[in-house]
Amino acid sequence: MSAGTAGHVARSTVRPNSETIRRTPLRTFLHTDDGVTIDSVYEPGAAVYDASRSPSGDPVFVIAHGFTGDVDKPHIRRVAEAFAQYGAVVTFSFRGHGASGGRSTVGDREVLDLAAVIAWAREQGHARVVTVGFSMGGSVVLRHAALYGTKAHADGQGREGRTEAHTDAVVSVSAPARWYYRGTAPMRKVHWLVTRPEGRLVGRYGLKTRIHDGGWDPVPLSPVEAVPHIAPTPLLIVHGDRDGYFPLDHPRMLAEAAGDHAELWVEPGMGHAEHASADDLLARIGRWGSSQDG
């Protein structure tokens, strides 16, 4: 991956010589606990590493894209390049998106996708994982952090035996607070896309997104119900004041439910999700994530 132009470029403390390396990017298909294949890419970031040490001290940013995104979309690659200045990066396609298997459940079973990817990110040697989700992905990182717990919780009791799947810091960008929201025209279009047979055809052939044709049963924990269970994991909530999908009552509800351990950034002039995330915002998120000890 080429280095992005936003923000400060992380520099190795090791002087480059014949014993330094650039870790090799990896692309593979992972398998979730329910048997779905997930197209995933690990990229080592901008730093040069000493060949004799592991990257355990460097964070890895796991990027959870929005609905209809995938690992190869240009706007996802731009986000990855920005975060590569602050650590390693893992991108992936949620189920039903891109080359991944299965069908999208629009934020429900996608938690299993994220858990599998985080476990794989830790296998690359990273002790700190920062999850960064956008829109649908923003709701997924919140629910994942609540369900899989912190390292302390996982070491003590282990969520579903997946102690390696916890996160150390969470960033949720442009996420909804509650399900079934139809208060804006874009969200009414999303509901048509998801709930109507003709909408799902448009999703499959027009947007390259395969959508599950059944409703939620049971209805999953909502983001606003999830956030109180994230503490003490550091949490950053980011939202634009011109978001056309979810107005500002959504991030404010999330921040209120999260309590004192969460930060809320309301970004002036920002619209929705990855496309609206300016380079300077991505750089600030990268600095925030790399500064968290988990």
Side-chain angles (χ1 to χ4, degrees):
M1 174 187 295
S2 62
T5 58
H8 173 70
V9 177
R11 298 183 183 275
S12 171
T13 57
V14 179
R15 182 173 299 171
N17 55 40
S18 60
E19 296 186 358
T20 61
I21 60 171
R22 289 192 180 276
R23 287 171 55 83
T24 304
L26 301 172
R27 187 163 191 166
T28 191
F29 283 90
L30 306 175
H31 290 84
T32 67
D33 283 347
D34 63 343
V36 177
T37 55
I38 301 298
D39 185 17
S40 306
V41 179
Y42 169 84
E43 294 166 285
V48 176
Y49 297 97
D50 185 330
S52 67
R53 76 176 181 90
S54 79
S56 61
D58 306 302
V60 56
F61 291 83
V62 176
I63 300 170
H65 64 74
F67 186 53
T68 75
D70 71 59
V71 68
D72 291 317
K73 291 285 179 68
H75 61 285
I76 306 302
R77 303 311 329 145
R78 182 179 70 88
V79 172
E81 289 180 4
F83 291 149
Q85 309 309 312
Y86 304 95
V89 177
V90 172
T91 49
F92 67 99
S93 298
F94 278 119
R95 61 183 64 202
H97 293 73
S100 291
R103 296 184 181 183
S104 174
T105 63
V106 200
D108 179 11
R109 299 190 71 79
E110 282 76 8
V111 169
L112 300 177
D113 307 349
L114 182 59
V117 172
I118 290 173
W120 183 60
R122 292 194 186 280
E123 289 176 6
Q124 310 314 310
H126 297 277
R128 287 187 294 149
V129 174
V130 181
T131 52
V132 186
F134 296 84
S135 193
M136 181 189 77
S139 71
V140 173
V141 299
L142 294 174
R143 294 184 55 246
H144 167 272
L147 293 172
Y148 280 77
T150 66
K151 183 178 188 298
H153 292 155
D155 287 347
Q157 48 192 314
R159 301 303 202 277
E160 301 179 2
R162 297 294 299 275
T163 58
E164 73 277 20
H166 72 277
T167 186
D168 300 289
V170 184
V171 183
S172 180
V173 184
S174 303
R178 54 194 186 274
W179 302 137
Y180 304 112
Y181 178 73
R182 294 178 171 85
T184 59
M187 282 308 300
R188 289 190 286 274
K189 292 179 181 177
V190 170
H191 278 85
W192 175 83
L193 194 72
V194 171
T195 62
R196 303 293 297 175
E198 57 270 35
R200 291 191 292 273
L201 283 173
V202 171
R204 174 181 285 272
Y205 296 108
L207 301 173
K208 308 301 182 185
T209 302
R210 305 172 307 281
I211 305 166
H212 191 267
D213 60 3
W216 287 334
D217 184 20
V219 175
L221 189 74
S222 72
V224 74
E225 293 169 327
V227 289
H229 303 289
I230 294 176
T233 303
L235 171 60
L236 173 61
I237 299 165
V238 181
H239 212 91
D241 66 359
R242 294 187 181 179
D243 192 307
Y245 287 77
F246 305 113
L248 287 177
D249 62 313
H250 286 260
R252 288 168 178 161
M253 286 177 65
L254 292 172
E256 182 178 359
D260 293 340
H261 85 283
E263 293 183 43
L264 172 61
W265 295 356
V266 175
E267 297 296 307
M270 177 184 169
H272 186 69
E274 298 101 327
H275 290 288
S277 296
D279 289 348
D280 70 305
L281 172 61
L282 296 175
R284 282 189 282 127
I285 292 173
R287 289 193 292 269
W288 183 91
S290 63
S291 71
Q292 304 304 311
D293 293 329

